[in-house]
Every structure is written in C-alpha cells, then in structure tokens.
C-alpha cells in the first residue's frame, strides 16, 4: 500500500492535468486550479523545511566542530538575523534593508563577477586551436564577443551583423534541436512516471 | 616568449582588474547600437496605451542582478513614462528585494500603489506558482506585499486570468524563465511575453523569439544598455558597457597570445 497509494495519486493527478490542458471541461478545470494552489502551499512549506534542514546540518557541524564549522556559525547567525528582521521588523525595516542591500546583494554580485578572472585565465591556458571543431568554436566565439561588445562595432561595423547571423542561424538551430530533444525526453519521462514505470519520485529506482 | 609561457595567473588577474576598472573611472563613451531582440521589446512597449495593464516579474537573485536589474529598471521607467499600470510579481525569493526597491523609488515620485502599480510580492512554487498566477492572479495573490487586499484595488479590477494583461515582462536569472512562462502562460492565455535574462541564458531562449512566443528579449547588461539607448536615456547599463568591452578585448588578446604560444610549441612537442 505504501507504494501503490502514491503511484495511484500520481497517475490520477497527472492524467487530470493532462486532460484539462487539452479539453475544456469545467469540473476538471476547477479541480486542477485547486491542485495548482495546493502546489504553491506545499512549496512554501518546503521552503520552511529547507530552512529547518539547514539549521539542523549546520548546528550539528558546530556542535561536532566538523569541517569549516566557523563558516557554519556565520551562516546560522546571518540566517537567524534575516528571519528575525524580516518576520518581526518587516521587509522595509532599516536592519533588513541593510542586510539585503549592503551585504547580500554586493557580496553575491562580487562572487558572480569573480568569473571574469577565471575566464581570463582559462582563455590564456585552455582555449586552444587543436582541431577543426575547436577552430570553429574559437572563431564563432571571437565574432560573437566582438559583435556583442560596443568596441567591436567601433573596429568594424560588420561585427554586430555577423554576430547576429551566428546567433540567428547556427545557434538557433542547435538550441532548437536541444529544446526539441529535451521536450521529447520530458514527455517520455512524464509518461513513465504516470504509468508507474519510473518510481524515482518515491525514492526508489 | 618564456615570460609568457610561465606567466603567473595572478598577473592575468591584475591586468584584467586594471583594464576593466579603467573605463569605470574614465568612461570612453563607446556607441551602443540597438539590436533586433531589444528593438522588438521597445517597439511593443512604445505602442502600449496609457492605462494598459502589464505584469513585470522580478524573477532574479542578487548574483545575476548586475546583469538583469538594469533591464527591469529601464523597462519599468518606460512603462511608467507611457502611463501604463504595472502589476509586480516575484517567483524567486530574492526578486521581491528588487521589486521593493524599484516600486519604492517610483512611489516617491508620485506613483500610487493600488492604482498605478501593485507590488504583489513573492509566491513560492516556481513553475507551479507561475501557473497558479496565470489561472487566477487574485487567488494566487490575495494580498499584496504590504498585506493589503488585492481584490479591492482599482488596478486589479477586471483581472481574471493572465489573458487580461497586455504584456508580461519577466526578468530572470534561472527558473522560472522563458520555458516556464511559455509553457504555463503564453501558450494557454496568448498573453504577449518578453524576457530579460542574464547573457548566458539568452541563446537558449532564442527559439521562442523565432516562434513568436516571445515578442522581445533583453540579453544581459548589453540588452539594458540597448534599451536605454532606444529610450534615449543612458543610465547605469550604458555606463557599464565600456568596462564590458574592455573585458571582452582582454579575453580575446589572451586567447590569441595563448594560441600563438601553442602553435609555436606544437612542432617541438611533436618532435619530442
């Protein structure tokens, strides 16, 4: 029963959504609308569960002095501060805004922008003209970079035109292929889950 | 050549830092032309009428905000300049931080909450939340971000589904992004949709442009700079383009140098 009940619920709910998407049946629509709302409520609880899980993991690390446990102290303190300021003082309170706008946003942006240093180093050490395929990648990369940056346009007016062509034809064709492949894969996986062949969502292979 | 062969990566880091920093201190004023992706978005918004209702969704986190936030800022500016009313949403938890910042600034300039705009806040659930919003925006967000009842707001009168909006402009650094919006809202309600994305996501979204499931696309900081140029109001994005240009040039120079060394060393390695 432990396996059959979840499989049955998955199949019934899945087919409800599938039928409702293609046919306009009022009662099915009200049922799927309700279930969609349940989805958002469950997601909100999942966020709470994730926060509780994070606390558990890091408090255990601190208690056992395991790994970089000092970082866990920072995480627990900042998370607690965010929760206290957000819940009790509100999202527009000065402490919450300070933590968000002066700490979280600049630090996240700094981490993201560190990428340029790794890209610069990788460009010098790894991006090599080893064969025809690598040459094509190198050439198209050059042209798109120059076409997308204003300096390329200053050097030669045709760089943006070439970059647009590369994006509009070869890139589009490749991405469309990936998209269609992924969509067919999703349909296949969806069907396997609906009929109970794929049981990964139940925690089994 | 040996100096280059044994170049410490820290030298590359310092060079990059200095060359990207230079145009930020001393702007070069490089011209920014408006590409077809951006032009599509600009033209559609420019043809909206005062009083039209659009959704602006702040679905981005702080990591990608330097790329995407300038896009949202300039699009909201254009919409408000046109007298268009805005329903703000966030389907990514940190998105609400940016929505608050944008709408608070406009409220100080005289835009009225509940009338000219509403900031609905964050709804958990990713793609499911997007679907719930498309089905019934009032049911998905019974209260706005300040706890006010949305059903009684003048701006929300007559809104039953996503089909009642003239445009959805969603700015994203991940999911929910174009795939989720197209699947759950565009296909079902035929609402015109444009996206603002981090640069790396843009090539993957292009098939939706050609299939006309998207009316326009802003790609990264460049997209924001192009929009500012089209609006004839250069802002933070246009100012950042010089630095981005320098970054691109430095990387190209490093690739060329790296390959010259590789080609010079290739015969020696083959002999060995």
């Amino acid at each position: 029963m432990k396996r059959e009940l979840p499989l049955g619920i998955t199949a019934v709910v899945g087919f409800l959504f599938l039928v409702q998407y293609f046919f306009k049946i009022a009662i099915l629509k009200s049922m799927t609308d309700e279930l969609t709302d349940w989805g958002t409520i469950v997601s909100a609880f999942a966020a709470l569960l994730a926060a509780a899980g994070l606390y558990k993991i890091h408090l255990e690390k601190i208690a056992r002095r395991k790994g970089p446990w000092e970082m866990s102290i920072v995480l627990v303190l900042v998370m607690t501060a965010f929760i206290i300021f957000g819940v009790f003082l509100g999202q527009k309170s000065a402490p919450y805004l300070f933590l968000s706008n002066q700490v979280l946003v600049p630090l996240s942006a700094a981490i993201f922008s560190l990428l340029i240093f790794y890209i610069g180093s990788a460009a010098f050490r790894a991006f090599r003209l080893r064969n025809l395929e690598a040459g094509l990648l190198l050439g198209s990369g050059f042209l798109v970079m120059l076409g997308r940056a204003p300096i390329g346009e200053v050097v030669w007016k045709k760089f943006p035109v070439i970059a647009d062509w590369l994006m509009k034809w070869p890139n589009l064709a490749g991405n469309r292929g990936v998209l269609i492949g992924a969509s067919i894969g999703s349909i296949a996986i969806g069907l396997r889950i609906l009929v109970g062949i794929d049981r990964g969502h139940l925690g089994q292979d | 050549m040996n100096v280059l062969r044994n170049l410490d990566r820290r030298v590359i880091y310092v060079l990059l830092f200095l060359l990207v920093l230079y145009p930020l201190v001393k702007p070069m004023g490089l011209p920014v032309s408006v590409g077809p992706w951006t032009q599509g978005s600009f033209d559609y918004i420019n043809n909206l009428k005062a009083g039209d209702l659009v959704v602006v969704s702040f679905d981005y986190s702080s990591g990608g905000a330097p790329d995407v936030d300038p896009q949202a800022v300039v699009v909201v500016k254009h919409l408000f300049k046109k007298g268009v009313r805005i329903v703000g949403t966030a389907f990514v938890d940190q998105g609400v931080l940016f929505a608050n910042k944008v709408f608070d600034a406009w409220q100080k300039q005289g835009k009225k909450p509940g009338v000219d705009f509403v900031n609905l806040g964050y709804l958990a659930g990713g793609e499911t939340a997007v679907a719930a919003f498309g089905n019934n925006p009032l049911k998905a967000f019974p209260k706005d971000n300040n706890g006010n009842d949305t059903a009684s707001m003048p701006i929300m009168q007559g809104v039953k589904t996503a089909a009642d909006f003239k445009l959805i402009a969603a700015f994203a650094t991940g999911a929910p992004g174009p795939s989720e919006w197209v699947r759950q809202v565009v296909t079902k309600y035929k609402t015109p949709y444009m996206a603002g994305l981090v640069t790396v996501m843009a090539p993957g979204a292009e098939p939706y442009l050609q299939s006309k499931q998207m009316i326009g696309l802003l790609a990264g900081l460049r997209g924001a700079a192009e929009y500012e140029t089209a609006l004839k109001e250069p802002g933070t994005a246009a100012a950042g383009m010089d630095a981005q240009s320098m970054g691109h040039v430095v990387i190209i120079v490093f690739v060329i140098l790296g390959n010259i060394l590789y080609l010079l060393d290739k015969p020696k390695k083959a002999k060995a």
Side-chain angles (χ1 to χ4, degrees), chain A residues 20-21 29 32-37 39-41 43-44 47 91-92 96 100-101 104-105 108-109 112 116-121 123-125 127-130 138 142 144-154 160 164 167-169 171-172 175-176 179, chain B residues 4 7-9 12-13 16-17 20 30-33 36-37 62-63 66 94 96-98 100 104 123-125 128-129 131-132 135 139 145-146 183 187-188 203-204 206-208 210-211 222 241 245 247-249 251-252 254-259 261-262:
Chain A
Q20 189 272 328
Y21 196 86
K29 190 183 179 317
T32 51
D33 284 357
E34 199 59 39
L35 286 167
T36 307
D37 289 340
T40 62
I41 295 164
S43 298
Q91 287 175 29
K92 290 184 179 174
Y96 187 86
S100 308
N101 297 336
L104 175 68
V105 174
S108 304
F112 190 63
I116 191 168
F117 297 109
Y118 294 109
I119 293 171
S121 177
F124 184 62
R125 289 161 198 279
F127 209 1
R128 296 283 188 261
L129 187 62
R130 290 181 205 279
L138 200 66
F142 258 44
V144 172
M145 278 178 84
L146 282 169
R148 288 276 177 257
I151 202 156
E153 203 175 333
V154 174
D164 281 342
M167 296 302 286
K168 203 171 176 181
W169 299 105
N171 162 67
L172 186 69
N175 268 305
R176 175 152 292 153
L179 205 60
Chain B
L4 274 176
L7 193 66
D8 192 317
R9 68 181 64 196
I12 299 175
Y13 295 164
L16 260 168
F17 176 72
V20 171
L30 293 168
V32 178
S33 62
W37 294 353
S62 44
Q94 288 182 24
V96 75
L97 296 174
F98 300 98
N100 286 343
D104 286 351
L123 184 64
T128 313
N135 273 339
K139 202 175 168 203
N145 199 38
N146 295 321
R183 263 200 302 263
T187 315
K188 214 168 171 184
E206 203 167 353
Y208 299 117
Q210 205 198 32
S211 61
R222 164 90 196 195
M241 287 318 293
S245 278
H248 283 206
V249 168
I251 288 169
I252 287 170
F254 279 140
V255 172
I256 293 170
L257 282 176
N259 275 286
L261 289 176
Y262 171 71

Side-chain angles (χ1 to χ4, degrees), chain B:
Chain B
M1 280 297 175
N2 276 336
V3 176
L4 274 176
R5 278 189 190 98
N6 302 318
L7 193 66
D8 192 317
R9 68 181 64 196
R10 282 168 293 193
V11 176
I12 299 175
Y13 295 164
V14 171
L15 262 174
L16 260 168
F17 176 72
L18 292 175
L19 286 165
V20 171
L21 186 71
Y22 177 76
L24 289 173
V25 178
K26 207 170 178 183
M28 295 146 72
L30 293 168
V32 178
S33 62
V34 183
W37 294 353
T38 307
Q39 194 64 51
S41 318
F42 181 84
D43 290 345
Y44 187 89
I45 291 176
N46 216 33
N47 288 325
L48 289 173
K49 294 183 187 78
D52 280 347
L53 192 60
V54 308
V55 174
V56 174
S57 200
F58 297 79
D59 304 331
Y60 51 96
S61 53
S62 44
D67 236 12
V68 182
D69 193 48
Q71 300 170 356
V73 169
V74 70
V75 167
V76 168
K77 187 184 203 178
H78 193 194
L79 289 166
F80 274 143
K81 276 181 80 173
K82 297 283 301 177
V84 171
R85 296 172 303 154
I86 300 175
V87 174
T89 57
F91 296 102
V92 164
D93 52 357
Q94 288 182 24
V96 75
L97 296 174
F98 300 98
N100 286 343
K101 209 159 69 173
V102 169
F103 289 122
D104 286 351
W106 279 100
Q107 195 176 340
K108 280 178 192 156
Q109 291 183 45
K111 291 289 176 188
K112 289 181 189 151
V115 179
D116 299 313
F117 73 90
V118 58
N119 180 7
L120 294 177
Y122 166 62
L123 184 64
E127 187 167 355
T128 313
V130 169
F133 176 74
N135 273 339
N136 190 337
L138 286 171
K139 202 175 168 203
F141 289 97
K143 305 270 182 196
D144 75 354
N145 199 38
N146 295 321
N148 303 310
D149 188 18
T150 50
S152 59
M153 289 180 180
I155 192 171
M156 297 304 279
Q157 298 312 303
V159 175
K160 290 188 180 112
T161 67
D164 297 312
F165 299 112
K166 291 282 181 196
L167 172 71
I168 291 165
F171 299 91
T173 48
S179 304
E180 289 78 12
W181 279 100
V182 167
R183 263 200 302 263
Q184 301 298 342
V185 176
V186 179
T187 315
K188 214 168 171 184
Y189 304 99
K190 313 289 177 217
T191 314
Y193 163 67
M194 64 161 280
L197 306 170
V198 277
T199 318
V200 289
M201 280 173 76
E206 203 167 353
Y208 299 117
L209 271 174
Q210 205 198 32
S211 61
K212 308 256 188 295
Q213 287 166 305
M214 252 165 73
I215 53 113
L217 169 64
L218 305 187
L221 192 67
R222 164 90 196 195
E226 288 182 8
Y227 206 100
E228 286 174 358
T229 306
L231 193 60
K232 295 187 175 65
E233 291 198 21
T236 51
M241 287 318 293
D242 289 348
Q244 200 183 68
S245 278
M246 287 310 287
H248 283 206
V249 168
V250 173
I251 288 169
I252 287 170
V253 169
F254 279 140
V255 172
I256 293 170
L257 282 176
N259 275 286
I260 290 172
L261 289 176
Y262 171 71
L263 293 172
L264 285 175
D265 290 346
K266 207 176 172 183
K268 286 180 204 164
K269 278 184 184 168
K271 269 184 192 172

